[in-house]
Amino acid sequence: MTDTSIEPSADAPAQLSTLDRFLPVWIGAAMLIGIVLGKAIPDLDETLDAIKIDTVSLPIAIGLLAMMYPVLAKVKYTRIGESLDRRSLVMSLVLNWLIGPALMFALAWILLPDLPEYRTGLIIVGLARCIAMVLIWNDLACGSRELAAVLVAINSLFQIVAYSILGYFYLELLPEWLGLDSDGIDVTMWEIAKSVLIFLGIPLLAGFLTRTIGERAKGVEWYEERFLPRIGPVALYGLLFTIVILFALQGEQITEQPWDVARIAVPLLIYFALMWFGSYFAGLKMGFPYERNTSIAFTAAGNNFELAIAVSIGVFGVTSGQALAGVVGPLIEVPVLVALVYVSLWAKRRYYDTDGVRPRS
């Protein structure tokens, strides 16, 4: 991701670098490469899954850290307090922790009543609120980096406390109340905390220290105009590497079960569309500025697929249907949210005044 610190304007897509403008092409190529590798190399999924420290996949961790660090190094941490207000916080919490999980639960049961493993995998995805890729989508759509960083941090804390509780509620308690069968989930609070600390804590600390030390040593102008453009592309390379690894893990299953993948994709498509458009137009009605509204919408629509996949693999196994559903998550989420970046930039021109501060009547 090259420097996207330019203020958003009506011709924002033209300001993106060649790498950013053709992001859907690179992502599609990375998915294809991952699937081909997983299909062509015997036991590649088991080999990749074996490269880990404790239960953390080292290849996935490397890709995610490379993806997260440049984005978090762009955040202006001294402005974070200016970005958050009570309405934004309440709306984000309601979307992420009440509406999102409930919507995914409903879609999974309505559209996959005969596929319990995939249904459980989708519910696990719905419970894992986004703490990583949303920063990239938000950055490309010219949302507020500071607000996105705050919302991601809040999601991380809620995830540590609430994930196991919500997992028990949506996978055991609620189905029992409704007379439905379910597989259940057994994941400890430490497993979730460890994932959040690694995938968010490390790059967040690195980004904060980089900006603090860099600005003091070289000045703000050098940091913004020279350093950030140099490290920007690393985020894209990390994203593409992570996608290749994820799809290599499930390449054989994806190619051998295309109908199952299509069945899993339908509720995901509906979910991302409802969450993003519902959030965006609710923000318009509430009068949120473009940057803030965009950050809330992408935070609401995205999911923490790395945590969902880690939980699915840890509880049900690397070749389970639950793990396949977790991997199909980014297969659908990545191209859909890339498309929503362009929708967001179009909506700014259509629904906001020139500076993006006030929605048009």
Side-chain angles (χ1 to χ4, degrees):
M1 231 60 62
T2 52
D3 184 23
T4 53
S5 61
I6 304 169
E7 290 299 319
S9 65
D11 58 346
Q15 296 172 349
L16 299 177
S17 69
T18 300
L19 283 174
D20 290 339
R21 284 201 305 272
F22 291 98
L23 182 59
V25 176
W26 314 138
I27 288 174
M31 291 177 176
L32 182 60
I33 291 170
I35 291 173
V36 170
L37 287 175
K39 183 72 173 176
I41 303 176
D43 301 323
L44 179 62
D45 55 349
E46 295 180 7
T47 302
L48 289 173
D49 186 54
I51 306 174
K52 58 187 177 184
I53 299 174
D54 194 10
T55 58
V56 177
S57 169
L58 196 56
I60 292 177
I62 290 171
L64 288 169
L65 294 177
M67 179 181 75
M68 296 272 293
Y69 164 68
V71 179
L72 289 168
K74 292 179 180 180
V75 173
K76 297 176 181 177
Y77 292 93
T78 56
R79 290 178 49 190
I80 281 180
E82 304 170 7
S83 303
L84 189 64
D85 67 280
R86 187 177 357 178
R87 291 198 307 160
S88 299
L89 176 59
V90 170
M91 182 175 177
S92 181
L93 290 176
V94 169
L95 287 166
N96 276 285
W97 297 102
L98 293 179
I99 296 176
L103 177 61
M104 188 70 90
F105 175 87
L107 291 171
W109 274 100
I110 291 170
L111 298 173
L112 301 175
D114 56 327
L115 297 171
E117 289 190 359
Y118 301 151
R119 184 178 65 233
T120 297
L122 282 182
I123 294 172
I124 290 173
V125 170
L127 297 176
R129 311 313 301 165
C130 195
I131 66 168
M133 278 193 179
V134 67
L135 295 173
I136 289 185
W137 315 137
N138 177 76
D139 211 38
L140 287 172
C142 302
S144 168
R145 291 175 187 151
E146 291 68 41
L147 177 58
V150 171
L151 296 180
V152 160
I154 291 171
N155 275 349
S156 301
L157 295 175
F158 265 78
Q159 224 149 207
I160 294 171
V161 175
Y163 193 91
S164 295
I165 297 171
L166 289 174
Y168 173 74
F169 177 77
Y170 280 105
L171 291 171
E172 293 188 10
L173 196 59
L174 185 57
E176 182 180 341
W177 289 351
L178 299 175
L180 306 170
D181 295 326
S182 188
D183 292 337
I185 183 173
D186 181 20
V187 57
T188 67
M189 192 172 293
W190 167 240
E191 289 175 307
I192 299 164
K194 179 171 58 179
S195 175
V196 171
L197 287 171
I198 292 171
F199 297 136
L200 177 65
I202 292 175
L204 179 62
L205 179 62
F208 173 77
L209 291 176
T210 301
R211 177 171 280 277
T212 302
I213 296 171
E215 288 185 350
R216 288 178 181 175
K218 296 283 190 176
V220 176
E221 183 177 351
W222 173 87
Y223 187 85
E224 293 283 348
E225 297 181 7
R226 299 186 63 183
F227 179 72
L228 287 183
R230 289 178 183 174
I231 67 169
V234 174
L236 176 57
Y237 303 144
L239 170 63
L240 298 178
F241 175 79
T242 304
I243 291 171
V244 170
I245 295 299
L246 287 172
F247 284 89
L249 282 169
Q250 291 280 354
E252 187 173 352
Q253 287 88 335
I254 290 173
T255 56
E256 291 183 353
Q257 305 173 65
W259 176 242
D260 288 356
V261 171
R263 289 283 306 273
I264 296 169
V266 172
L268 285 167
L269 285 168
I270 297 172
Y271 172 85
F272 294 133
L274 288 177
M275 290 297 293
W276 194 90
F277 284 102
S279 170
Y280 195 90
F281 284 103
L284 278 175
K285 289 293 185 182
M286 296 174 70
F288 287 157
Y290 171 79
E291 286 190 349
R292 184 183 304 171
N293 197 20
T294 297
S295 298
I296 295 172
F298 277 101
T299 307
N303 290 88
N304 185 358
F305 68 84
E306 57 272 20
L307 175 60
I309 292 171
V311 169
S312 296
I313 291 174
V315 177
F316 301 104
V318 69
T319 59
S320 65
Q322 290 86 347
L324 176 60
V327 171
V328 173
L331 170 67
I332 306 304
E333 176 176 343
V334 169
V336 168
L337 292 190
V338 168
L340 288 173
V341 167
Y342 292 92
V343 172
S344 183
L345 292 169
W346 170 84
K348 177 182 182 295
R349 299 192 298 271
R350 174 68 177 81
Y351 294 108
Y352 280 90
D353 58 16
T354 304
D355 58 7
V357 174
R358 292 170 298 278
R360 290 174 180 163
S361 59

